[in-house]
C-alpha cells in the first residue's frame, strides 16, 4: 500500500535540489523545507530524482516460457533498475494476439505490483506474418493496447504492414517494427563486417535493417499513420530516421543500451552473452546511434530485456539464443555512454527513458515529476561506481553482457505509484497488499 513519503534534497532531473511529498500515491507537493507528521523520510541529498523509468521493449516470457522469466521476476528486475512501467512484448505462448492474452498479462502485472505492465499486442496471428491479429479487440480490451509488434519477426509483407498501419490509425495506435529483411539475414550469426570475415561467421548486413526502415517510412507517410522502429542499430538507420522526421513522417525510434556501448569486437571471444538480434555493430555505428540519441533523431532508450535459461547461452555460438537481460543495468549504461561523455544531461535522460516512451505508448500518468501526478519516482546516485555482478540481477536469468564490467551509478530508491519497491539500494522482497 502507498504511504506518506517525504523525499528531501533530491536534484530534480539533475537540476536544483528540492523536497517531494508523496501522499495517497501521488506527488502532493514539491518545494523546500517540506515535512509531514508521521511520514517516511528519505534523505536524498546527492541523489538525482527522475520520473520513474519506462521501458517500451521488455520480454517477460509469461505465459509459456517461465523458465526464462515471469511477470513477477521481470518486474522485480525492472524495479531494481529504476523502472516503474514496462511494455511486455507479445512473444509468449500463447502469443499475445488476442484480448484474452493481453488481459491476462495485465492482471499478472497488477498482482505482482513491482511495476505497471502494459501489454504489446502482436501485429499478425501467431506472429506468423500471414494475417492481421485482433488489433481492434486488443485496443478495446481492459489492457487498452496501443502498441503492436511482431517482436523478433519482421512484418516483412508490405501489404500486411500497410494494412496494419491503416488499421491502428483509427485509434492512434503505433506499429513497432523489428526491421530485419529475413532473406538478407538467413543463417546470420553476427554483424557483417571485418570481424565476421575474420571469424568465418555468417554476417547480418546493415542493409537488412535499413531497407525495411526505408520501406516502412514510405508506407507510414503514405498511410499517415504512426511507425516505431525497434532497437535501431546502424549509422544508416539513423540517417533514415533523420530524413523521415525532416519530411514530417510520424516515425519514432529506439536504441538499446547495448548498442550504445558494445561493439562486434566482443564476439571474438565467442561468449554467447554478446549474441543478440540485431547484432552488436561496429564502433562507427555505436558513435552514430549515440549522436542520433543526443540530437533527438532517436527518441528513446529501450532495453530489449531478453532473458534466457543458462543452457541456451552456455553452448557453442551458432546454437546459442539471441538476447541479453538489461533492466537492471540500463540506467547505468546510459550514464556511462551518454552522460559521462557529455552527450546528454539528466533532464535528457528523463526524457528518453521516461517521458518519451510513455508518450509513444500512450501510458497515462508516467513521465513527469509534477504536483498531482502519480508518484512514480526513481532516485539515482551518480557518485558511486562498481563492478556489475550477478548480485545486481533480480530476474530469473543471468545472460547479462555487463557481468564483470565497471559501471557508474546505482539506483537507490524506486517508488511505483507511491509504493516503495527499492529502498536504500535494496529490492523490497515483499510488497504490502
Amino acid at each position: 500500500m502507498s504511504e506518506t513519503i517525504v523525499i528531501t534534497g533530491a536534484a530534480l532531473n539533475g537540476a536544483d535540489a528540492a523536497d517531494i511529498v508523496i501522499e495517497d500515491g501521488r506527488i502532493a507537493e514539491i518545494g523546500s523545507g517540506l515535512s509531514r507528521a508521521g511520514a517516511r523520510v528519505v534523505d536524498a541529498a546527492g541523489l538525482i530524482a527522475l520520473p520513474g523509468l519506462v521501458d517500451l521493449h521488455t520480454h517477460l516470457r509469461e505465459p509459456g516460457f517461465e523458465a526464462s522469466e515471469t511477470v513477477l521476476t521481470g518486474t522485480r528486475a525492472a524495479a531494481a533498475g529504476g523502472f516503474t512501467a514496462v511494455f511486455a512484448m507479445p512473444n509468449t505462448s500463447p502469443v499475445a494476439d488476442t484480448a484474452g492474452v493481453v488481459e491476462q498479462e495485465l492482471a499478472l502485472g497488477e498482482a505482482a505490483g513491482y511495476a505497471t505492465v502494459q501489454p504489446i499486442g502482436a501485429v499478425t496471428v501467431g506472429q506468423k506474418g500471414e494475417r492481421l491479429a485482433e488489433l481492434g479487440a486488443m485496443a478495446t480490451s481492459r489492457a487498452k493496447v496501443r502498441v503492436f509488434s511482431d517482436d523478433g519477426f519482421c512484418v516483412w509483407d508490405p501489404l500486411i504492414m500497410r494494412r496494419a498501419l491503416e488499421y491502428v490509425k483509427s485509434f492512434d495506435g503505433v506499429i513497432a517494427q523489428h526491421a530485419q529483411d529475413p532473406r538478407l539475414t538467413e543463417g546470420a550469426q553476427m554483424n557483417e563486417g571485418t570481424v565476421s570475415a575474420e571469424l568465418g561467421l555468417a554476417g547480418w548486413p546493415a542493409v537488412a535493417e535499413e531497407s525495411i526502415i526505408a520501406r516502412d517510412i514510405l508506407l507510414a507517410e503514405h498511410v499517415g499513420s504512426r511507425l516505431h522502429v525497434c532497437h535501431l542499430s546502424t549509422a544508416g538507420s539513423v540517417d533514415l530516421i533523420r530524413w523521415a522526421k525532416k519530411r514530417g513522417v510520424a516515425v519514432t525510434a529506439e536504441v538499446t543500451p547495448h548498442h550504445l556501448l558494445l561493439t562486434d569486437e566482443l564476439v571474438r571471444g565467442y561468449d554467447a552473452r554478446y549474441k543478440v538480434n540485431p547484432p552488436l555493430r561496429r564502433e562507427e555505428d555505436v558513435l552514430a546511434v549515440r549522436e542520433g540519441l543526443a540530437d533527438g533523431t532517436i527518441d528513446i532508450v529501450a532495453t530489449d530485456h531478453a532473458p534466457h535459461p543458462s543452457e541456451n547461452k552456455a553452448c557453442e555460438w551458432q546454437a546459442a539464443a539471441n538476447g541479453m537481460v538489461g533492466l537492471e543495468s540500463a540506467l547505468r549504461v546510459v550514464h556511462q555512454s551518454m552522460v559521462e561523455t557529455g552527450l546528454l544531461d539528466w533532464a535528457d535522460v528523463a526524457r528518453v527513458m521516461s517521458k518519451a516512451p510513455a508518450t509513444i505508448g500512450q501510458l497515462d500518468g508516467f513521465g513527469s515529476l509534477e504536483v498531482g501526478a502519480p508518484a512514480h519516482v526513481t532516485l539515482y546516485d551518480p557518485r558511486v561506481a562498481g563492478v556489475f555482478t550477478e548480485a545486481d540481477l533480480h530476474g530469473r536469468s543471468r545472460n547479462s553482457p555487463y557481468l564483470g564490467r565497471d559501471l557508474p551509478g546505482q539506483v537507490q530508491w524506486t517508488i511505483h505509484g507511491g509504493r516503495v519497491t527499492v529502498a536504500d539500494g535494496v529490492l523490497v522482497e515483499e510488497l504490502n497488499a
Side-chain angles (χ1 to χ4, degrees):
M1 62 190 299
S2 63
E3 57 185 316
T4 300
I5 303 169
V6 178
I7 300 169
T8 62
L12 270 63
N13 294 328
D16 296 335
D19 301 341
I20 304 171
V21 176
I22 296 172
E23 292 178 320
D24 298 322
R26 291 187 174 271
I27 297 176
E29 191 175 1
I30 297 176
S32 59
L34 303 181
S35 63
R36 290 291 191 278
R40 180 176 189 170
V41 178
V42 176
D43 181 1
L47 304 185
I48 294 169
L50 300 170
L53 305 185
V54 176
D55 187 22
L56 198 67
H57 193 148
T58 301
H59 300 267
L60 293 179
R61 304 301 194 205
E62 188 179 11
F65 303 104
E66 290 83 358
S68 299
E69 195 77 281
T70 67
V71 170
L72 174 61
T73 61
T75 53
R76 282 167 58 87
F83 288 91
T84 55
V86 295
F87 283 72
M89 279 294 179
N91 61 331
T92 51
S93 182
V95 170
D97 57 5
T98 66
V101 179
V102 295
E103 288 181 345
Q104 177 188 2
E105 292 178 331
L106 181 72
L108 287 168
E110 291 170 341
Y114 282 91
T116 294
V117 174
Q118 176 57 50
I120 291 176
V123 177
T124 65
V125 175
Q127 298 175 290
K128 294 180 179 179
E130 297 171 351
R131 56 191 175 95
L132 291 182
E134 299 176 4
L135 308 184
M138 288 186 279
T140 57
S141 72
R142 195 171 76 86
K144 297 180 181 178
V145 177
R146 289 297 180 270
V147 183
F148 299 87
S149 177
D150 271 357
D151 188 35
F153 299 97
C154 179
V155 182
W156 183 75
D157 186 320
L159 181 59
I160 289 179
M161 186 63 178
R162 174 183 175 172
R163 296 295 182 238
L165 288 165
E166 289 172 334
Y167 198 110
V168 301
K169 182 181 177 181
S170 64
F171 50 81
D172 195 29
V174 60
I175 301 297
Q177 175 72 292
H178 172 97
Q180 177 185 0
D181 187 309
R183 294 297 301 276
L184 291 175
T185 55
E186 289 181 5
Q189 293 292 321
M190 66 170 296
N191 178 58
E192 181 179 286
T194 302
V195 179
S196 66
E198 292 178 5
L199 297 179
L201 293 176
W204 200 122
V207 70
E209 174 175 302
E210 296 157 7
S211 60
I212 295 295
I213 292 175
R215 182 204 73 176
D216 288 350
I217 286 169
L218 296 175
L219 286 173
E221 182 178 44
H222 178 72
V223 172
S225 189
R226 292 203 298 145
L227 168 70
H228 179 74
V229 178
C230 296
H231 44 47
L232 177 154
S233 68
T234 76
S237 295
V238 177
D239 289 340
L240 287 165
I241 299 298
R242 189 175 286 123
W243 172 81
K245 288 189 171 184
K246 287 180 180 178
R247 288 175 65 90
V249 181
V251 60
T252 55
E254 71 189 35
V255 64
T256 70
H258 46 272
H259 287 116
L260 289 170
L261 186 64
L262 310 177
T263 75
D264 60 357
E265 289 289 337
L266 290 165
V267 179
R268 292 186 184 277
Y270 295 103
D271 185 338
R273 288 183 301 136
Y274 301 116
K275 188 176 182 184
V276 67
N277 187 15
L280 300 180
R281 302 291 191 182
R282 309 166 302 161
E283 180 70 20
E284 299 97 306
D285 294 305
V286 169
L287 296 176
V289 297
R290 287 183 183 182
E291 180 184 352
L293 184 63
D295 69 19
T297 300
I298 299 172
D299 300 85
I300 67 170
V301 174
T303 71
D304 193 10
H305 175 82
H308 291 289
S310 59
E311 60 268 23
N312 289 0
K313 284 291 191 178
C315 56
E316 64 272 20
W317 179 270
Q318 287 86 343
N322 287 305
M324 305 168 168
V325 294
L327 286 166
E328 298 97 333
S329 52
L331 183 54
R332 297 173 69 179
V333 173
V334 170
H335 181 183
Q336 184 174 81
S337 61
M338 298 301 295
V339 179
E340 288 189 341
T341 56
L343 293 169
L344 294 182
D345 61 22
W346 289 108
D348 294 324
V349 173
R351 171 174 52 83
V352 302
M353 297 191 74
S354 183
K355 184 175 180 58
T359 299
I360 293 168
Q362 299 186 56
L363 190 61
D364 294 336
F366 289 82
S368 68
L369 293 175
E370 298 176 354
V371 173
H376 306 303
V377 183
T378 300
L379 297 178
Y380 182 73
D381 191 345
R383 303 164 297 180
V384 300
V387 176
F388 193 82
T389 69
E390 287 199 5
D392 294 301
L393 298 174
H394 296 274
R396 186 159 282 187
S397 298
R398 294 292 178 264
N399 53 304
S400 168
Y402 307 109
L403 294 175
R405 180 182 288 264
D406 289 325
L407 292 177
Q410 181 64 51
V411 172
Q412 291 296 327
W413 292 78
T414 306
I415 301 172
H416 173 236
R419 173 184 286 184
V420 174
T421 56
V422 174
D424 286 322
V426 179
L427 185 72
V428 176
E429 287 299 326
E430 293 187 13
L431 299 180
N432 294 325

